[in-house]
Amino acid sequence: MTQYVYRFGGGVSDGGSGDKTLLGGKGANLDEMASIGLPVPPGFTIATTMCTRYYEEGQSFPDSLRDEVANGLIHIEGITGKKFGDEADPLLVSVRSGARVSMPGMMDTVLNLGLNDATVQGLAAVSDDARFAWDSYRRFIQMYSDVVLELDHGRFEEALEIAKEDRGYYLDTELTAADWQALVAEYKAIVEELWGKPFPQDVHDQLWGAIGAVFGSWQADRAKVYRRLNNIPGDWGTAVNVQAMVFGNMGDTSATGVAFTRDPSTGANAYYGEFLINAQGEDVVAGIRTPQYLTLAAREAANAKPASMEEAMPDAYAELAAVFDRLEKHYRDMQDIEFTVQQGKLWMLQTRSGKRTAKAALKIAVDMAEEGLITREEAILRVDPQALDQLLHPTLDPKARRDVLTKGLPASPGAASGVAVFDSDTAERRSNAGDAVILIRTETSPEDIHGMHAARGILTARGGMTSHAAVVARGMGRPCVSGAGSISIDAKAGVMKVAGREIREGDIVTIDGSTGEVMAGAVATVQPELAGDFGTMMEWADGVRRLKVRANAETPLDCRTAREFGAEGIGLCRTEHMFFEQSRITSVRQMILAEDEAGRRVALEKLLPEQRSDFVEIFEVMVGLPCTIRLLDPPLHEFLPHAEAEFDEVAQAAGIAVEQLKRRAAELHEFNPMLGHRGCRLGVTYPEIYEMQARAIFEAAVIVAEKSGAAPIPEVMIPLVGTKRELELMKAVVDAAAEAVFADKGRRIEYLVGTMIELPRAALKAGEIAEAGEFFSFGTNDLTQTTLGVSRDDASRFLGAYVDKGIYARDPFVSIDVEGVGELIELAAERGRKTRPDIKLGICGEHGGDPASIAFCEKVGLDYVSASPYRVPIARLAAAQAALGG
């Protein structure tokens, strides 16, 4: 019989080595902490494999699981000396999720389970604290009603706020036992009104309801969105952890907190965290109360008044600090820890590798390598290449004027300006419309995940440095300011009030997640400094990677940015972008409108010096490096006007009638231009276009070689080739232009002629095409479109559903479809090398900046990847990780 329940604590460890695939991250780490002797409340884990079976069998449980869970409860009862459902001394448990990888706040939790009208009396008696017992019961009803019964959470919050208001209280902690008891009665009445039945009193019904809800939350919309954003497979499932409750809400000697062994924002080697006295864990992470600092140093740095844990609970803090050091050494990584102090005794509830900003990830990895805790190779593997994107964009200019409205907590570094929005749906809608948005909320919840992803930055009125907003924002790389207590938000009216001023939806605001400042209007930015830990990591990465990294660039600015970020040449220069410039579009249109070759050559002669100038500027930046130049690719009709006013303007400039222009535009119109008269098909039909471009390339290369003494290495790319003959014809045009330039200038330079493999036929016939082509560059954007029969411009309407339903593991335009497109790339590489062993192979689609795709390129043995300039460092690190097998 398959085992689904694994016990931990009290010297028992059914999970063995703590397999995260089976037990989930939380369950594996609880098991491991217990096995090394840390104070962990006993419990058991229901394996992730049960989650998969639960959905396969119509969201039902096998009878065998009920027997295993009963034995798990006996295990907890034996260690705690309490019985589940006992009216005199009840065992209470928590029911928590735990996927293989951390998904903070995305799935459900139920605390204080096992309370009912009878057991609450026993808890009050055995604890000698009626207030604590009734507080725990109201928490349980509120959480269970929300998570399991799916009732309106706001009704319970409203009842609590009214109860405090009626009694003149500000904090929950001011309510007495009698107050809580009265609120419990009100909560039960709300349940009966909304649910149509009394609140469940059978503790076993409560337990199975909670287990089902946690498994059910794996398929909640917010969890699906988070998995899609973080590339977590939907078939992994979650584990369920059932654990004896310990209580941080048993008075002033009890507390709960969240802590990191190092600062997750900066990476500084200092304890970082928050706690609340007389509270439960949800109070800290939900942002309902603003917590206190963990250390005296942090409190003093923030100029905060409430005592730190180091001051208020020195013994428990000292024990906690020792646990921090032990866990970091054991796991050899920065840990994110949840803990509770129950009447002076410390309990560890969770540890996991902590979410961190890119800046922190770099510092922690470099520091740990230099401390000898990990190797340099491990340090390279510790940093998520995608996260580097956080470091590669501008930050606020320290000299720029700032209209500071208020200051909150610097929860996630970086800065952003955008229009103020007050709900996640609006954030997503306006972002899709092209607006930069700042999402402003009283506090965020997991339901806000789509709005947080759409936003450039997040601002909350409540919550601390470990609130939901802070943790999720850091993981996403979004700037976040939390706990800005001086702001008041009316989300329905779309207005934020602060310091006598109003910010309405659509007004521009700026937040600085590194300082906590909130500003009216936009603030100027400066480019980042990419030295220090970043430079060290890039140096280590370059020392181990095999793949070269180039940039997709066609302007001098792009080229300079790419060189600054370590690009080793250009992998794709799209020449059509140059044709669209205002100064030359008229000549381009004259060339297109010409009735014969002679007319086209007249227009092309006007374009030649401008093209040559373009290439001179690029080659001067990339002197001595390979530069892949793609000859004209798009269909000609894209250069023609569309609006009536434009037709008049072009006709006048070209000296032809508007009717003639419209007729020519109609002749060039194509029903499916992506598969039409474009790429090398233009060159075959109008070879003079490619001849002009080739002349411009070689003349520019010779000019730069004479000025600098070091020539660039042009790699002339013929696009959309599907046959060997197409490439032969176009190569002859390029070679003839090169020889003419070399003879005219009296100087030769090294160059290559090759093609972009972007059609399935080209991949299949790569062996033949390599007879003419000296390099292949895989144009994975078009190769994906032509292989899958999917337009990347329209696919966003349905690809999300395809990923959710497991048809594709990831969006194939983001990460290479290894099974389909990838097989074509592998086949083309193999056949091309068989014909021409020294053929140069690379990719230049957007996949060149995707770490998963780069790992595939390493496996296939390509020579280089090419990415947009700002993704060059991402590609360098990903290439190093691929070389290390990470």
Side-chain angles (χ1 to χ4, degrees), residues 593 640-648 651 656-669:
L593 295 168
L640 292 181
H642 304 288
E644 196 67 36
E646 281 187 303
F647 274 113
D648 291 337
I656 61 174
V658 171
E659 290 72 23
Q660 183 183 348
L661 176 58
K662 288 182 176 178
R663 177 179 56 77
R664 181 64 172 148
E667 288 171 359
L668 291 170
H669 173 75

mmCIF file of all heavy atoms in Angstrom, residues 593 640-648 651 656-669:
data_model
loop_
_atom_site.group_PDB
_atom_site.id
_atom_site.type_symbol
_atom_site.label_atom_id
_atom_site.label_comp_id
_atom_site.label_asym_id
_atom_site.label_seq_id
_atom_site.Cartn_x
_atom_site.Cartn_y
_atom_site.Cartn_z
ATOM 1 N N LEU A 593 8.387 52.182 -54.865
ATOM 2 C CA LEU A 593 7.426 52.619 -55.875
ATOM 3 C C LEU A 593 7.987 52.601 -57.290
ATOM 4 O O LEU A 593 7.230 52.737 -58.263
ATOM 5 C CB LEU A 593 6.931 54.032 -55.537
ATOM 6 C CG LEU A 593 6.118 54.139 -54.237
ATOM 7 C CD1 LEU A 593 5.936 55.591 -53.853
ATOM 8 C CD2 LEU A 593 4.780 53.440 -54.395
ATOM 9 N N LEU A 640 5.164 51.388 -46.619
ATOM 10 C CA LEU A 640 4.257 52.309 -47.312
ATOM 11 C C LEU A 640 3.259 52.931 -46.341
ATOM 12 O O LEU A 640 2.990 52.375 -45.268
ATOM 13 C CB LEU A 640 3.515 51.566 -48.427
ATOM 14 C CG LEU A 640 4.394 51.115 -49.603
ATOM 15 C CD1 LEU A 640 3.553 50.416 -50.655
ATOM 16 C CD2 LEU A 640 5.137 52.312 -50.214
ATOM 17 N N PRO A 641 2.698 54.078 -46.701
ATOM 18 C CA PRO A 641 1.769 54.758 -45.803
ATOM 19 C C PRO A 641 0.435 54.010 -45.694
ATOM 20 O O PRO A 641 0.090 53.185 -46.545
ATOM 21 C CB PRO A 641 1.567 56.124 -46.459
ATOM 22 C CG PRO A 641 1.867 55.898 -47.900
ATOM 23 C CD PRO A 641 2.935 54.839 -47.945
ATOM 24 N N HIS A 642 -0.295 54.352 -44.645
ATOM 25 C CA HIS A 642 -1.611 53.743 -44.427
ATOM 26 C C HIS A 642 -2.695 54.817 -44.333
ATOM 27 O O HIS A 642 -3.785 54.651 -44.866
ATOM 28 C CB HIS A 642 -1.593 52.895 -43.148
ATOM 29 C CG HIS A 642 -0.533 51.840 -43.164
ATOM 30 N ND1 HIS A 642 -0.613 50.715 -43.964
ATOM 31 C CD2 HIS A 642 0.653 51.738 -42.491
ATOM 32 C CE1 HIS A 642 0.468 49.964 -43.784
ATOM 33 N NE2 HIS A 642 1.254 50.566 -42.894
ATOM 34 N N ALA A 643 -2.405 55.928 -43.666
ATOM 35 C CA ALA A 643 -3.397 56.993 -43.487
ATOM 36 C C ALA A 643 -3.485 57.852 -44.744
ATOM 37 O O ALA A 643 -2.514 57.996 -45.505
ATOM 38 C CB ALA A 643 -3.029 57.858 -42.283
ATOM 39 N N GLU A 644 -4.642 58.471 -44.943
ATOM 40 C CA GLU A 644 -4.899 59.289 -46.129
ATOM 41 C C GLU A 644 -3.903 60.446 -46.240
ATOM 42 O O GLU A 644 -3.360 60.723 -47.319
ATOM 43 C CB GLU A 644 -6.328 59.834 -46.073
ATOM 44 C CG GLU A 644 -6.841 60.365 -47.396
ATOM 45 C CD GLU A 644 -7.037 59.281 -48.447
ATOM 46 O OE1 GLU A 644 -7.435 58.153 -48.085
ATOM 47 O OE2 GLU A 644 -6.751 59.550 -49.623
ATOM 48 N N ALA A 645 -3.639 61.109 -45.098
ATOM 49 C CA ALA A 645 -2.716 62.252 -45.111
ATOM 50 C C ALA A 645 -1.313 61.817 -45.519
ATOM 51 O O ALA A 645 -0.596 62.542 -46.226
ATOM 52 C CB ALA A 645 -2.695 62.907 -43.733
ATOM 53 N N GLU A 646 -0.918 60.618 -45.091
ATOM 54 C CA GLU A 646 0.405 60.113 -45.438
ATOM 55 C C GLU A 646 0.508 59.832 -46.939
ATOM 56 O O GLU A 646 1.542 60.062 -47.558
ATOM 57 C CB GLU A 646 0.701 58.823 -44.658
ATOM 58 C CG GLU A 646 1.121 59.040 -43.220
ATOM 59 C CD GLU A 646 1.557 57.724 -42.593
ATOM 60 O OE1 GLU A 646 0.755 56.779 -42.587
ATOM 61 O OE2 GLU A 646 2.702 57.648 -42.116
ATOM 62 N N PHE A 647 -0.572 59.320 -47.528
ATOM 63 C CA PHE A 647 -0.573 59.070 -48.970
ATOM 64 C C PHE A 647 -0.303 60.364 -49.739
ATOM 65 O O PHE A 647 0.499 60.410 -50.676
ATOM 66 C CB PHE A 647 -1.912 58.462 -49.413
ATOM 67 C CG PHE A 647 -1.972 56.961 -49.287
ATOM 68 C CD1 PHE A 647 -2.810 56.355 -48.381
ATOM 69 C CD2 PHE A 647 -1.182 56.159 -50.106
ATOM 70 C CE1 PHE A 647 -2.861 54.970 -48.273
ATOM 71 C CE2 PHE A 647 -1.227 54.771 -50.008
ATOM 72 C CZ PHE A 647 -2.070 54.169 -49.083
ATOM 73 N N ASP A 648 -0.986 61.456 -49.348
ATOM 74 C CA ASP A 648 -0.791 62.749 -50.010
ATOM 75 C C ASP A 648 0.659 63.195 -49.900
ATOM 76 O O ASP A 648 1.273 63.647 -50.877
ATOM 77 C CB ASP A 648 -1.713 63.804 -49.389
ATOM 78 C CG ASP A 648 -3.185 63.546 -49.705
ATOM 79 O OD1 ASP A 648 -3.464 62.862 -50.704
ATOM 80 O OD2 ASP A 648 -4.050 64.023 -48.931
ATOM 81 N N ALA A 651 3.026 60.876 -51.983
ATOM 82 C CA ALA A 651 2.814 61.094 -53.425
ATOM 83 C C ALA A 651 3.485 62.377 -53.885
ATOM 84 O O ALA A 651 4.124 62.435 -54.945
ATOM 85 C CB ALA A 651 1.317 61.123 -53.715
ATOM 86 N N ILE A 656 4.409 61.510 -57.806
ATOM 87 C CA ILE A 656 3.454 60.646 -58.506
ATOM 88 C C ILE A 656 2.057 60.943 -57.991
ATOM 89 O O ILE A 656 1.874 61.586 -56.950
ATOM 90 C CB ILE A 656 3.780 59.148 -58.319
ATOM 91 C CG1 ILE A 656 3.712 58.784 -56.824
ATOM 92 C CG2 ILE A 656 5.136 58.803 -58.886
ATOM 93 C CD1 ILE A 656 3.877 57.300 -56.568
ATOM 94 N N ALA A 657 1.071 60.461 -58.688
ATOM 95 C CA ALA A 657 -0.318 60.689 -58.295
ATOM 96 C C ALA A 657 -0.675 59.810 -57.106
ATOM 97 O O ALA A 657 -0.156 58.693 -56.965
ATOM 98 C CB ALA A 657 -1.243 60.378 -59.471
ATOM 99 N N VAL A 658 -1.573 60.312 -56.283
ATOM 100 C CA VAL A 658 -2.027 59.545 -55.117
ATOM 101 C C VAL A 658 -2.634 58.218 -55.568
ATOM 102 O O VAL A 658 -2.418 57.164 -54.946
ATOM 103 C CB VAL A 658 -3.046 60.363 -54.288
ATOM 104 C CG1 VAL A 658 -3.686 59.500 -53.207
ATOM 105 C CG2 VAL A 658 -2.377 61.575 -53.674
ATOM 106 N N GLU A 659 -3.389 58.236 -56.655
ATOM 107 C CA GLU A 659 -4.035 57.012 -57.140
ATOM 108 C C GLU A 659 -3.001 55.957 -57.514
ATOM 109 O O GLU A 659 -3.166 54.767 -57.251
ATOM 110 C CB GLU A 659 -4.919 57.328 -58.363
ATOM 111 C CG GLU A 659 -6.174 58.128 -58.052
ATOM 112 C CD GLU A 659 -5.858 59.586 -57.707
ATOM 113 O OE1 GLU A 659 -4.769 60.086 -58.127
ATOM 114 O OE2 GLU A 659 -6.662 60.212 -56.993
ATOM 115 N N GLN A 660 -1.880 56.433 -58.144
ATOM 116 C CA GLN A 660 -0.810 55.499 -58.516
ATOM 117 C C GLN A 660 -0.175 54.885 -57.270
ATOM 118 O O GLN A 660 0.125 53.693 -57.235
ATOM 119 C CB GLN A 660 0.242 56.228 -59.353
ATOM 120 C CG GLN A 660 1.366 55.320 -59.864
ATOM 121 C CD GLN A 660 2.427 56.100 -60.629
ATOM 122 O OE1 GLN A 660 2.227 57.271 -60.966
ATOM 123 N NE2 GLN A 660 3.552 55.449 -60.904
ATOM 124 N N LEU A 661 0.003 55.710 -56.249
ATOM 125 C CA LEU A 661 0.585 55.232 -54.995
ATOM 126 C C LEU A 661 -0.320 54.189 -54.345
ATOM 127 O O LEU A 661 0.140 53.135 -53.890
ATOM 128 C CB LEU A 661 0.810 56.414 -54.040
ATOM 129 C CG LEU A 661 1.342 56.082 -52.631
ATOM 130 C CD1 LEU A 661 2.663 55.354 -52.711
ATOM 131 C CD2 LEU A 661 1.498 57.370 -51.817
ATOM 132 N N LYS A 662 -1.611 54.495 -54.325
ATOM 133 C CA LYS A 662 -2.549 53.559 -53.711
ATOM 134 C C LYS A 662 -2.602 52.242 -54.490
ATOM 135 O O LYS A 662 -2.735 51.158 -53.905
ATOM 136 C CB LYS A 662 -3.937 54.183 -53.624
ATOM 137 C CG LYS A 662 -4.048 55.277 -52.566
ATOM 138 C CD LYS A 662 -5.468 55.828 -52.475
ATOM 139 C CE LYS A 662 -5.570 56.848 -51.343
ATOM 140 N NZ LYS A 662 -6.939 57.434 -51.251
ATOM 141 N N ARG A 663 -2.510 52.359 -55.835
ATOM 142 C CA ARG A 663 -2.507 51.138 -56.638
ATOM 143 C C ARG A 663 -1.300 50.271 -56.321
ATOM 144 O O ARG A 663 -1.409 49.047 -56.154
ATOM 145 C CB ARG A 663 -2.507 51.506 -58.126
ATOM 146 C CG ARG A 663 -2.423 50.292 -59.063
ATOM 147 C CD ARG A 663 -2.443 50.715 -60.533
ATOM 148 N NE ARG A 663 -1.392 51.668 -60.871
ATOM 149 C CZ ARG A 663 -0.111 51.320 -61.046
ATOM 150 N NH1 ARG A 663 0.273 50.066 -60.899
ATOM 151 N NH2 ARG A 663 0.778 52.243 -61.381
ATOM 152 N N ARG A 664 -0.124 50.937 -56.179
ATOM 153 C CA ARG A 664 1.102 50.186 -55.870
ATOM 154 C C ARG A 664 1.001 49.540 -54.475
ATOM 155 O O ARG A 664 1.411 48.393 -54.281
ATOM 156 C CB ARG A 664 2.302 51.134 -55.935
ATOM 157 C CG ARG A 664 3.647 50.485 -55.657
ATOM 158 C CD ARG A 664 4.001 49.451 -56.697
ATOM 159 N NE ARG A 664 5.366 48.966 -56.519
ATOM 160 C CZ ARG A 664 5.755 47.725 -56.807
ATOM 161 N NH1 ARG A 664 4.885 46.858 -57.315
ATOM 162 N NH2 ARG A 664 7.004 47.364 -56.633
ATOM 163 N N ALA A 665 0.431 50.274 -53.515
ATOM 164 C CA ALA A 665 0.255 49.720 -52.169
ATOM 165 C C ALA A 665 -0.662 48.505 -52.207
ATOM 166 O O ALA A 665 -0.418 47.497 -51.515
ATOM 167 C CB ALA A 665 -0.300 50.785 -51.226
ATOM 168 N N ALA A 666 -1.713 48.589 -53.016
ATOM 169 C CA ALA A 666 -2.646 47.468 -53.144
ATOM 170 C C ALA A 666 -1.953 46.259 -53.774
ATOM 171 O O ALA A 666 -2.192 45.107 -53.386
ATOM 172 C CB ALA A 666 -3.857 47.876 -53.968
ATOM 173 N N GLU A 667 -1.077 46.526 -54.773
ATOM 174 C CA GLU A 667 -0.343 45.435 -55.414
ATOM 175 C C GLU A 667 0.559 44.702 -54.414
ATOM 176 O O GLU A 667 0.745 43.488 -54.500
ATOM 177 C CB GLU A 667 0.517 45.983 -56.557
ATOM 178 C CG GLU A 667 -0.271 46.428 -57.778
ATOM 179 C CD GLU A 667 0.617 47.157 -58.778
ATOM 180 O OE1 GLU A 667 1.829 47.318 -58.491
ATOM 181 O OE2 GLU A 667 0.106 47.575 -59.833
ATOM 182 N N LEU A 668 1.137 45.474 -53.482
ATOM 183 C CA LEU A 668 2.080 44.892 -52.515
ATOM 184 C C LEU A 668 1.386 44.266 -51.308
ATOM 185 O O LEU A 668 2.018 43.555 -50.530
ATOM 186 C CB LEU A 668 3.063 45.968 -52.027
ATOM 187 C CG LEU A 668 4.066 46.468 -53.058
ATOM 188 C CD1 LEU A 668 4.801 47.687 -52.518
ATOM 189 C CD2 LEU A 668 5.058 45.372 -53.415
ATOM 190 N N HIS A 669 0.095 44.543 -51.152
ATOM 191 C CA HIS A 669 -0.617 44.017 -49.989
ATOM 192 C C HIS A 669 -0.608 42.486 -49.996
ATOM 193 O O HIS A 669 -0.808 41.860 -51.044
ATOM 194 C CB HIS A 669 -2.059 44.523 -49.966
ATOM 195 C CG HIS A 669 -2.880 43.887 -48.877
ATOM 196 N ND1 HIS A 669 -2.748 44.239 -47.548
ATOM 197 C CD2 HIS A 669 -3.814 42.902 -48.919
ATOM 198 C CE1 HIS A 669 -3.578 43.499 -46.824
ATOM 199 N NE2 HIS A 669 -4.239 42.682 -47.630
#
